[in-house]
Amino acid sequence: MSTTQLILLQILNTGVTMGILMLVAIGLGIIYGLMDVINLAHSEFLMLGAYGWVIARLVGLDGWTGLIIAPVLVGLVGYVIERGLVQYLYRRPLDSLLATWGVSLILVQAARIVFGPAPQAVPTPLEGAVDLFGMPYGRYRLFVLAVSIVIISLTLAVFRYPTFGLKTRAVFQDAEMAKCLGIRAPRIYSTGFVIGAALAGLAGALVAPMLTVAPDMGANFLVQSFLVVIVGGAGSLVGVVGGAGVIGGIQGLISYFSSSVLAQVITLTLAIIVVRVRPRGIFTRK
Amino acid sequence: MAHLAVRDVHTFYGPSHVLHGASLEVETGSIAALLGRNGMGKTTLLRSIMGLTPAASGEIELAGTRIDHLQPFDIFDLGVGYVPQGRHVFPYLTVQENLRLGLRNKRKRDPEIFEKLFGYFPILAERRKQKAGTMSGGEQQQLAIARALAGEVKIMLLDEPTEGIQPSIVDEILELLVRINQADGLTILLVEQNMELGLSVARDFFVMEKGVVVEAGAVAGMDKERVINEYLVV
Ligand SMILES: Nc1ncnc2c1ncn2[C@@H]1O[C@H](COP(=O)(O)OP(=O)(O)O)[C@@H](O)[C@H]1O
Ligand SMILES: [Mg+2]
């Protein structure tokens, strides 16, 4: 392989990592930024999404259906959790942390009971490779990259969308004042939570064929997504997307040139530096 | 008829009891000044009326309808405009976006309302694309008032709109409020620490002391010296 091909390969792989990380972290960032809720169960949204494929197969549906089932199912689960629990924990970060930790344990255990504790492989729905400048690259990975780009752009657009976006930004900046201007803040919180959950579910479904699916698969993504939110700042979607770019980029590049352990060490160090010098994140104003 | 009636309201912040049975009535179409030293509960009373810090007991009525168990957004829908202490404009949104958020129907860009507001506050027309957080205190105050007016409200609660603002703009703001009150019959409850300013525009007055309204009446018949000595001298 030529150097150019290697670089291209690296860029594509890093892009896939960044895309998944953005999909997961957006929800975490929205939920923290809008409602001061630290959601430790967010990683379980990803895990449940990954099981979307397994569920699709169990009920006898075609493999691709998993990709649709995952965000819908996980969005519903998110809605139930928001209405049943999280809505009582707004602006109580510590309580929300404890309560969602409980939810996380329950969901992992439930997955163990329903699907069994053993990791399961999900067959790739897109076999084979395409030729990119004389280099073979997995079709499915390209597909994941494309879907991530489209969905992230769509999400950014929804939050920019004239009325909903404006209301959401108002609630982000000053929730009390927004309410005094007739904005139903609780509805915005619910919607934000469900969108975040659905995106994590989609991320889970997207990564499933590239990894193995297991009840405890979420943990690693949770750590990474928290780093994204810390580094990028939870004040805006741009912060989260930027943070995912930085973290995903570092992880991808360093683990390629050196080891993934070094990549972890460097990301953690970066997170610590950011907390010291820009406690509200690199991309957050003020 | 009373546009706004507050009866025996008790309000708490967590365990701390701040309003101890506050009562007042603001007549439809009038301007009333709510006076009192710092920390006496004026802001808390407005917050309770808006539903931000709900009253634990007592009654709050708007044109005869109880609103004390409603959420702030429902109270806005009933035509109550709020200009909080410290202005609370959305700092990272433009002037125009701040104003749009004040509209009743935020989907509809209403050129008529905007024209009217820009007529009241020409500076906002000049600054319409500027981020609100980058403007001076006086400009932000005008924006906060314009944003409340954008909702075509029938009653407006203003919490120290003259605080920290240069005198020329203070006069402009107060004159404008009087003009809108006379032209459109907007009812105004104005919290003021500066008694002279408050009384210069108001028809009625209330004085708060330690979470209770201790004096109320018409400005015309007011014994200013006594009220100042008893309640307003620091
Ligand atoms: N968020 C709060 N938590 C606890 N106490 C508060 C809070 N806000 C105000 N207070 C207390 O309530 C009392 C009345 O305050 P406030 O309504 O702001 O008075 P005013 O507007 O007349 O200056 C004060 O003693 C103040 O310390
Ligand atoms: Mg006050």
Side-chain angles (χ1 to χ4, degrees):
Chain A
M1 243 188 253
S2 72
T3 319
T4 334
Q5 286 174 331
L6 277 179
I7 292 175
L8 181 64
L9 179 72
Q10 198 43 43
I11 290 175
L12 288 173
N13 281 344
T14 306
V16 171
T17 311
M18 280 186 197
I20 296 295
L21 208 47
M22 282 178 197
L23 287 176
V24 182
I26 283 175
L28 211 57
I30 294 176
I31 295 158
Y32 183 66
L34 269 181
M35 12 192 161
D36 283 341
V37 163
I38 298 175
N39 181 16
L40 288 188
H42 196 68
S43 47
E44 277 31 281
F45 294 153
L46 175 132
M47 178 272 288
L48 289 177
Y51 276 103
W53 300 97
V54 177
I55 296 172
R57 239 183 326 160
L58 279 181
V59 297
L61 288 167
D62 157 22
W64 284 106
T65 334
L67 218 48
I68 313 287
I69 291 181
V72 174
L73 178 82
V74 176
L76 273 175
V77 171
Y79 181 73
V80 171
I81 292 176
E82 199 273 340
R83 286 291 88 193
L85 178 72
V86 171
Q87 65 157 321
Y88 305 107
L89 301 170
Y90 292 154
R91 320 251 162 260
R92 289 162 58 187
L94 214 54
D95 297 332
S96 71
L97 185 123
L98 285 175
T100 56
W101 184 41
V103 172
S104 160
L105 294 177
I106 292 170
L107 290 176
V108 171
Q109 199 53 40
R112 276 204 190 102
I113 293 167
V114 176
F115 304 109
Q120 307 188 31
V122 171
T124 306
L126 262 181
E127 298 278 356
V130 291
D131 183 84
L132 277 182
F133 306 101
M135 171 190 68
Y137 194 79
R139 277 173 198 276
Y140 184 70
R141 289 191 145 256
L142 273 186
F143 170 78
V144 169
L145 188 59
V147 172
S148 310
I149 293 172
V150 170
I151 298 292
I152 289 160
S153 313
L154 272 178
T155 308
L156 290 177
V158 164
F159 283 100
R160 281 267 141 193
Y161 180 77
T163 309
F164 178 71
L166 191 61
K167 287 181 183 173
T168 310
R169 279 180 287 154
V171 173
F172 250 115
Q173 288 172 31
D174 193 332
E176 281 199 341
M177 196 61 230
K179 283 196 224 174
C180 291
L181 296 171
I183 295 169
R184 266 100 185 126
R187 218 179 277 167
I188 301 237
Y189 297 149
S190 263
T191 314
F193 194 89
V194 169
I195 291 178
L199 290 178
L202 179 68
L206 286 173
V207 292
M210 300 190 286
L211 305 168
T212 50
V213 180
D216 57 3
M217 69 184 288
N220 185 38
F221 288 95
L222 187 69
V223 174
Q224 305 253 355
S225 314
F226 269 116
L227 290 177
V228 165
V229 174
I230 290 170
V231 169
S236 72
L237 279 184
V238 177
V240 175
V241 170
V246 171
I247 300 279
I250 289 178
Q251 301 259 333
L253 285 177
I254 295 173
S255 58
Y256 175 72
F257 289 112
S258 177
S259 70
S260 60
V261 174
L262 183 64
Q264 298 280 2
V265 170
I266 291 184
T267 353
L268 266 175
T269 313
L270 175 70
I272 292 168
I273 294 172
V274 169
V275 169
R276 303 271 336 167
V277 297
R278 279 192 71 95
R280 306 198 43 200
I282 298 180
F283 300 96
T284 305
R285 296 157 292 203
K286 257 206 277 194
Chain B
M1 190 191 58
H3 195 156
L4 174 72
V6 175
R7 286 188 213 102
D8 197 24
V9 159
H10 289 255
T11 300
F12 297 74
Y13 290 107
S16 96
H17 192 168
V18 172
L19 297 187
H20 297 265
S23 303
L24 57 77
E25 288 200 1
V26 181
E27 292 300 310
T28 305
S30 72
I31 300 182
L34 178 56
L35 312 170
R37 276 175 303 209
N38 221 346
M40 291 305 167
K42 305 180 297 295
T43 295
T44 307
L45 183 56
L46 295 200
R47 289 181 59 87
S48 290
I49 296 169
M50 272 323 285
L52 286 170
T53 308
S57 67
E59 293 177 3
I60 302 174
E61 269 180 14
L62 188 72
T65 311
R66 290 280 292 269
I67 60 166
D68 43 87
H69 293 291
L70 297 184
Q71 294 275 353
F73 34 83
D74 296 319
I75 293 171
F76 167 87
D77 287 348
L78 292 174
V80 183
Y82 181 46
V83 180
Q85 190 166 13
R87 318 185 251 279
H88 289 258
V89 295
F90 299 107
Y92 305 119
L93 299 182
T94 63
V95 166
Q96 201 162 310
E97 288 171 323
N98 267 276
L99 293 176
R100 266 190 66 201
L101 285 164
L103 295 174
R104 264 163 190 285
N105 180 353
K106 299 176 192 356
R107 257 170 233 293
K108 214 175 92 193
R109 289 155 208 266
D110 206 320
E112 257 173 55
I113 295 182
F114 273 69
E115 226 164 88
K116 192 168 163 186
L117 296 174
F118 288 146
Y120 291 150
F121 303 102
I123 186 75
L124 297 182
E126 279 171 42
R127 300 282 161 98
R128 71 175 83 186
K129 296 264 186 313
Q130 193 174 327
K131 293 265 193 290
T134 65
M135 299 198 303
S136 75
E139 288 160 358
Q140 290 188 23
Q141 189 60 259
Q142 296 180 58
L143 176 57
I145 295 172
R147 185 179 60 184
L149 290 170
E152 298 172 283
V153 295
K154 312 219 164 39
I155 178 167
M156 187 123 104
L157 315 174
L158 295 111
D159 199 345
E160 305 208 22
T162 64
E163 194 185 25
I165 286 174
Q166 65 184 82
S168 62
I169 298 182
V170 166
D171 291 342
E172 258 177 55
I173 288 177
L174 292 181
E175 274 167 31
L176 181 71
L177 289 174
V178 171
R179 186 145 64 90
I180 297 172
N181 161 264
Q182 285 169 354
D184 301 346
L186 176 71
T187 308
I188 295 175
L189 177 58
L190 172 68
V191 169
E192 252 314 329
Q193 273 217 44
N194 183 329
M195 188 194 75
E196 285 305 328
L197 278 183
L199 297 183
S200 70
V201 295
R203 191 187 84 186
D204 301 313
F205 76 98
F206 304 97
V207 181
M208 275 192 96
E209 171 96 344
K210 295 187 183 127
V212 187
V213 175
V214 286
E215 292 273 338
V219 173
M222 180 179 181
D223 182 351
K224 283 192 194 173
E225 209 149 318
R226 183 186 60 80
V227 170
I228 292 176
N229 287 332
E230 271 182 58
Y231 303 110
L232 301 174
V233 177
V234 182

